[in-house]
Every structure is written in structure tokens, then in C-alpha cells.
Amino acid sequence: MARKEAKTQARKPLRIAVIPGDGTGPEVVREGLKALRAAAEVSKFTYETAEFDCSGARYLARGGDAAKPGIPVVTDEEIAALKTFDAIYLGAVGDPNVAPGILEKGLLLRLRFELDQYINLRPVKLYPNVPCPLAGKGPEDIDFVVVRENTEGIYTGMGGVQYPGTPQEVSTRVNCTTRFGAERCIRYAFELCRRRASPKKMLTLVHKTNVLTFAGGTWFRAFHEVGEEYPDIKKDYNHVDACCMWFVKNPEYYDVIVTDNIFGDIITDLAAIIQGGLGVAAGGNINPSGLSMFEPMGGSAPKYTGLGVINPIAAIAAMAMLLKETGVNRGDKKLVNAGSRVERAVIATTPRMKSQAAGKMGFSTTEVGDLVAQAVKDDA
Ligand code: IPM
Ligand code: MN
């Protein structure tokens, strides 16, 4: 094929599976899709979306009951269908009428495991004019990334409970840590640190090697052995408890952090608060060579459902991540640029909002979405 022809040949449309989910999920997803539409127009790419109703409401309507397992939250057919898409865009999981753990395991954890989304990527960035609860810290101080291992540790479900409900009750939960799992996560983090624009070029391993000597040892050895391939990156280590302290005291210290599944779960909620709260924090469940899923970090927020007051910024930021990461994965610069454009539109919008808290934004959910979509177009 002639070079010119190859260049002008249209790429296949980007195919996005959308799972609006529960509570305020559908409301914020709608605004993320609005930003997508604007970005596609300006950046000139084509896309298709298909909606999957894997909500808690559907699970209940089908007779789902924790005491009677058998009703799946996501069906095998849906998993097979999801696998044909380029990315998944998730609103929220969580329904107050479903027992804890069912939707989390049945949807989020199942997809993480079955799609081997072994990275949980959490950019922690304080956008302009977003109030930060840390005294004296501004956007120049809070700009780091947490790379959380997403398929191992205490999330695998190994362990069990014996004699439940009796005085003899015993429960165990295995911290399943493999060299393979730690190594691939660490390697991803080193690569990310290398391509990130920050001049710090430092990767911090976060664990608890003073107590979890077995799993910690595996992480520590993998970190330093893989690290030999990255002489340009400074290697740093924090215990997880100390890391929580530094997040509050010296967030400007960090560049990229790599950590185990549960430690990552905990520190990224702390990180979300210092970047302005759950209204703005977005994350990605990433399979670097497969299908990834992007979501706002806030839950389904049942008490705000249907009121038009929830902040869609996190969901829009998740869409920006979806475009960027899918672009990197497919080697498609247009998508990467579209993602950056949506992020810039978010940065242009947050200063216009009164607050990032639900109900206090000075705008409705839809209005914030309109402002971002307009900013995407103005950025052209
Ligand atoms: C997250 C969430 C999940 C987790 C829950 C909902 C299973 O807290 O994505 O951080 O613990 O990973
Ligand atoms: Mn969490």
C-alpha cells in the first residue's frame, strides 16, 4: 500500500462499552460521554458506544440474593461481549439494598481478574482552584501517580472462615503475592516514571517490609532487581504508614508510587482527598496489552441520586484517561491528544465552579458537563 494511502486510511472507530451502574453512575457517565462527543468532533476520530446494564438494580430485579448465589451480577455472555471492545467506561457500583461484597466481587473484581487488569492507575493531581484540605499546598505541590497492583494480595479470595457465628470462629485471608505479579507491576511503574514529564524521576515502593517480611521481601527484591534496568530513575522506599504521613505533610515529595493491592486501595483514598475529593478523582483498571476499564473514584452516592447535584468532573477525568491510555495502547496519537484536550477542559472548568462538593458546585451536574464540553471545543 502506498504510504499516503496508509496514512489517510481511516482508523476503525473506537469502541467503548459503557456500564453506567448504580446511583449517580448514570448521571456522571452521561457527562463523560458529552465530553467524548465534543473531543471526537474536534480531534476528528470516530467512536461507538454500547451500554451494559450490570447494575445492582438489575441484579435485584432478577432475584439476586446473597443467601442464594446463582444470579450473576455480570453474565458470562456479557463478559464475552465486553471483550470485543477497546475500553470500558464504568459509572459506579453499589446499591444499599445489596449485601456488601456482592456487586464489588461480581462486577469490579470479576472484571479486574478476568480481564487481567493488573494495574490500578491513579493520577493524583490538584486542579486549579480546587480547595485542598492541606494548609499551604497548591496545584504545584500535588501532582503524582499511584500505580497499585490490582489482581493479587488479599484481593484474590484465598482463605476462608471456619465455624462462622460461633465462639470458635476462625477466619484467614491469604496475602497472595507472586514475583510475577509484583514484577510486572513494578516494571509498568518504572516505564511510566520514565515517560512522565516530571523532572523528579523517582519511583517510591510502598509496602510494610518491617512486618510483612515475606510478601514485602518479594516486592523489595523485585523492585531492586528490575530497578537495575532503570539507572535513570531514583529508587525510593516508604513504609505504608509513613507514606500516609508524608501525603499530608510533603505531598510534593512524590513522583510515582508503586504498591501492593490493599495498600494502594487505602492510600489512594487519602490521595483522593488531598486532590480535592471524590468529585474529582479518577482511576483506571489497566491491562497494558488488553482491555482496560476507567471509572470515577466516588461510589454510587445513593443520597444524591437523581438530584442533578453530583459532580461529574471525576467521570469526565476518567474519560480523559480512557482516551489517553487507549491511545497509548493502540499507538494512536489522535486519541492521546483528545485525552489531553479533555483534561485541559477540566482544568479550564474547575476554576469556574464554586466548589467540587455535591450540591455546592454553583451548577447542576449537566451544566458542569456542558461547561467542559464547551471548553473542549474552545480548545480546538
Ligand atoms: C476501589 C474500590 C474497590 C477496591 C472496592 C469497591 C472493591 O474501593 O476501586 O478502590 O477495594 O478495590
Ligand atoms: Mn478503594
Side-chain angles (χ1 to χ4, degrees):
M1 196 187 292
R3 238 179 121 192
K4 191 159 170 239
E5 221 179 299
K7 226 178 161 181
T8 50
Q9 195 184 47
R11 276 182 183 267
K12 280 199 202 140
L14 171 69
R15 297 184 67 243
I16 304 176
V18 180
I19 307 178
D22 296 302
T24 51
E27 292 168 59
V28 295
V29 155
R30 210 172 296 134
E31 304 313 316
L33 293 175
K34 213 183 259 175
L36 170 67
R37 200 176 312 129
E41 227 176 275
V42 180
S43 294
K44 303 202 183 338
F45 66 88
T46 55
Y47 70 93
E48 295 164 7
T49 59
E51 208 172 281
F52 288 72
D53 177 10
C54 307
S55 62
R58 185 188 74 168
Y59 169 78
L60 289 173
R62 290 183 171 179
D65 184 346
K68 288 182 277 165
I71 307 286
V73 180
V74 184
T75 65
D76 293 346
E77 293 72 32
E78 282 168 332
I79 299 262
L82 285 170
K83 285 183 178 165
T84 67
F85 285 81
D86 297 312
I88 303 173
Y89 186 48
L90 171 67
V93 267
D95 185 311
N97 299 313
V98 179
I102 301 278
L103 299 175
E104 292 86 342
K105 262 192 217 156
L107 176 68
L108 198 56
L109 299 182
R110 178 160 183 210
L111 292 181
R112 285 177 184 172
F113 290 124
E114 289 203 22
L115 304 175
D116 200 20
Q117 293 166 337
Y118 62 89
I119 300 294
N120 191 311
L121 189 63
R122 280 279 292 106
V124 182
K125 195 174 168 127
L126 180 63
Y127 290 134
N129 203 38
V130 170
C132 171
L134 305 182
K137 302 293 178 189
E140 62 290 356
D141 301 307
I142 298 172
D143 186 2
F144 60 92
V145 183
V146 179
V147 176
R148 161 186 171 191
E149 202 292 319
N150 212 28
T151 52
E152 295 197 345
I154 63 171
Y155 278 75
T156 60
M158 293 166 74
V161 59
Q162 192 80 272
Y163 317 124
T166 73
Q168 290 74 32
E169 179 162 342
V170 181
S171 52
T172 60
R173 169 78 52 174
V174 175
N175 183 4
C176 168
T177 301
T178 69
R179 168 71 190 221
F180 169 80
E183 187 168 327
R184 65 181 180 170
C185 181
I186 286 165
R187 200 173 288 283
Y188 179 92
F190 271 116
E191 289 292 332
L192 173 67
C193 192
R194 195 174 254 177
R195 68 171 187 268
R196 215 170 111 81
S198 153
K200 291 178 199 155
K201 294 279 165 275
M202 178 176 77
L203 180 62
T204 304
L205 170 67
V206 168
H207 209 284
K208 185 74 185 172
T209 53
N210 52 346
V211 175
L212 304 186
T213 48
F214 309 141
T218 300
W219 274 88
F220 203 79
R221 282 185 291 279
F223 183 66
H224 286 286
E225 283 169 33
V226 172
E228 281 174 22
E229 297 166 36
Y230 298 89
D232 48 323
I233 311 286
K234 194 173 155 212
K235 285 110 205 149
D236 179 46
Y237 172 79
N238 284 178
H239 288 319
V240 63
D241 43 354
C243 169
C244 291
M245 208 168 62
W246 298 126
F247 269 16
V248 173
K249 192 162 183 286
N250 297 111
E252 67 279 4
Y253 173 75
Y254 294 102
D255 182 7
V256 179
I257 290 173
V258 64
T259 191
D260 138 279
N261 206 343
I262 188 67
F263 295 146
D265 178 46
I266 297 167
I267 68 172
T268 53
D269 267 22
L270 178 55
I273 277 301
I274 68 174
Q275 77 181 112
L278 292 174
V280 297
N285 300 275
I286 302 205
N287 176 335
S289 55
L291 176 55
S292 303
M293 173 165 71
F294 301 85
E295 52 170 340
M297 297 319 293
S300 56
K303 71 174 179 183
Y304 295 122
T305 302
L307 303 178
V309 297
I310 198 77
N311 189 349
I313 288 289
I316 299 170
M319 178 54 75
M321 271 184 95
L322 182 154
L323 292 170
K324 259 201 228 170
E325 297 301 322
T326 313
V328 168
N329 204 344
R330 304 204 318 178
D332 185 339
K333 278 220 178 81
K334 247 187 202 176
L335 289 186
V336 177
N337 292 338
S340 304
R341 180 169 269 142
V342 173
E343 194 185 359
R344 285 196 299 274
V346 165
I347 292 172
T349 303
T350 51
R352 304 177 61 183
M353 299 165 66
K354 281 208 187 105
S355 159
Q356 297 301 313
K360 299 183 182 153
M361 303 183 291
F363 296 101
S364 68
T365 305
T366 318
E367 285 168 342
V368 172
D370 289 341
L371 286 175
V372 178
Q374 191 54 49
V376 168
K377 290 178 191 161
D378 293 346
D379 183 74

